[in-house]
Amino acid sequence: MTLLISTLFVATITFIAAFILAPTFFGLLRLFGIYTIVQEGTCHVYTLFGSVVGVLREPGLVILPLHLGVNAFLISFFGRRYVIDMRLDQRYLRSQPVNSEEGAPMGIGVWYEMSISDPVAYLFKNADPQGSLAANVSNAVVRTLSNMPLAQMLENRHAMSQAVRAEVSPKASEWGYRLGSVYIRKVHFRDRNMIRQIEAKVVNRLRQVTSAILQDGANRVSVITSTAERQAAIEFARAKAVRPKILGQALARIGADPEVRDALFTILEVQNLTESKARVTLVPAQTDQRVMSALMAVQNSRQ
């Protein structure tokens, strides 16, 4: 029982020390300006009686009296601490209206990044520095990119981005900003009728190009076919002219040998008889004349 009471007592003391006394103690130290902690990517600006008395940029634990002197003990009661986010920020402005040199109403989307370089200027030189920077970028887009040739506006975005950045950077620096990259991300037509007309022209042009390609292909095929037919006709005519000569030479060589000639004509005769599908009656060579007469009489009676 005594051990349980001792354990509960120690636990209660630990809880009070860890969650009540320690936070209260460190809170009092911060309240009286003994120390502060600067987070990574932030900056602390201290003002007292309307004046800036200190700027802390380096992250980590900072003993304020070493930096602010006696003012550190008065900041919490008569002054103010500003915590500024120094990290890189980005913003995208959509469809900024400009007109091309040809009078086409165009919209330009511009992306830019910025970070705070001067925390004091950021706090006190402009009531809304971020909004003013956005308005400045928008105005710079309209001023620098209006009346540009349409082809240049659609193709040369790098030069456009550089022009906008050069226009905005001085004023941004005056307001405590450091302007990073500026990029013209999108250039588009704002007039829907013009967009439809351009689409119709593009479609018609594609159809014309497709038809031209098909016609060119058909012409090429026709030329190839005609050339092949012409060459084939020439070769057939040449073969037809040469054929009698070749055939005559072959028959001459066959006629020079009587045995070959007779065999050839016999084969041709048999072939003709076979192809004519006529009925053939074979009779022995020494057949009597009366038998032949009887056979002919039977054949005549069947007909």
Side-chain angles (χ1 to χ4, degrees):
M1 187 65 180
T2 304
L3 179 61
L4 178 60
I5 293 174
S6 299
T7 303
L8 291 175
F9 178 74
V10 172
T12 304
I13 293 300
T14 303
F15 176 80
I16 293 173
F19 294 98
I20 297 178
L21 294 181
T24 304
F25 175 71
F26 288 110
L28 290 175
L29 291 180
R30 289 193 299 272
L31 178 64
F32 289 102
I34 303 302
Y35 82 97
T36 189
I37 296 175
V38 180
Q39 300 293 333
E40 182 72 30
T42 62
C43 175
H44 291 190
V45 178
Y46 294 92
T47 61
L48 183 63
F49 303 123
S51 300
V52 178
V53 295
V55 179
L56 302 179
R57 293 173 177 268
E58 296 298 327
L61 178 64
V62 180
I63 305 301
L64 286 178
L66 297 179
H67 293 269
L68 306 180
V70 181
N71 295 330
F73 304 105
L74 303 177
I75 290 295
S76 299
F77 304 100
F78 305 103
R80 185 174 179 182
R81 183 189 68 170
Y82 297 90
V83 179
I84 308 300
D85 190 350
M86 303 291 287
R87 292 174 296 181
L88 187 67
D89 194 8
Q90 302 171 348
R91 193 163 182 180
Y92 180 61
L93 300 179
R94 298 179 182 275
S95 191
Q96 302 302 305
V98 298
N99 290 325
S100 68
E101 187 181 44
E102 295 81 0
M106 307 295 293
I108 292 180
V110 56
W111 171 89
Y112 63 95
E113 60 182 15
M114 68 285 188
S115 61
I116 298 173
S117 60
D118 187 350
V120 177
Y122 170 77
L123 284 174
F124 303 110
K125 285 193 175 181
N126 195 318
D128 183 12
Q130 189 170 14
S132 297
L133 180 61
N136 195 14
V137 172
S138 177
N139 294 333
V141 170
V142 176
R143 284 197 304 272
T144 58
L145 305 185
S146 292
N147 298 323
M148 289 182 64
L150 181 59
Q152 185 176 353
M153 188 177 294
L154 293 174
E155 296 174 357
N156 196 4
R157 298 187 183 184
H158 179 70
M160 296 163 60
S161 303
Q162 295 297 320
V164 173
R165 189 178 188 280
E167 180 76 12
V168 176
S169 291
K171 205 64 178 178
S173 179
E174 184 180 339
W175 294 335
Y177 271 118
R178 180 175 55 248
L179 195 64
S181 299
V182 177
Y183 179 63
I184 302 300
R185 188 175 178 182
K186 182 179 181 181
V187 178
H188 64 93
F189 293 94
R190 289 187 291 115
D191 190 343
R192 293 188 178 276
N193 293 328
M194 181 176 291
I195 293 173
R196 283 194 288 270
Q197 291 176 0
I198 293 174
E199 289 176 349
K201 289 182 179 179
V202 171
V203 171
N204 291 333
R205 182 58 182 162
L206 289 175
R207 288 175 178 170
Q208 293 175 358
V209 171
T210 304
S211 299
I213 292 173
L214 293 175
Q215 185 62 42
D216 184 66
N219 293 338
R220 289 176 182 272
V221 171
S222 178
V223 170
I224 293 172
T225 305
S226 301
T227 304
E229 290 178 351
R230 182 173 57 84
Q231 291 178 351
I234 292 173
E235 295 299 329
F236 281 132
R238 184 177 300 169
K240 189 175 181 181
V242 173
R243 181 174 178 273
K245 179 181 178 182
I246 297 174
L247 187 60
Q249 291 175 352
L251 291 176
R253 286 199 300 270
I254 294 172
D257 190 342
E259 292 182 358
V260 175
R261 181 191 59 197
D262 295 339
L264 174 64
F265 286 115
T266 302
I267 292 171
L268 293 176
E269 184 177 359
V270 172
Q271 183 178 359
N272 289 332
L273 288 173
T274 304
E275 292 177 354
S276 65
K277 298 181 181 180
R279 298 182 61 185
V280 177
T281 303
L282 299 178
V283 179
Q286 290 78 17
T287 305
D288 191 357
Q289 188 64 31
R290 291 174 298 179
V291 175
M292 291 294 298
S293 300
L295 290 174
M296 293 178 63
V298 171
Q299 184 175 4
N300 293 332
S301 64
R302 288 179 179 176
Q303 294 175 351

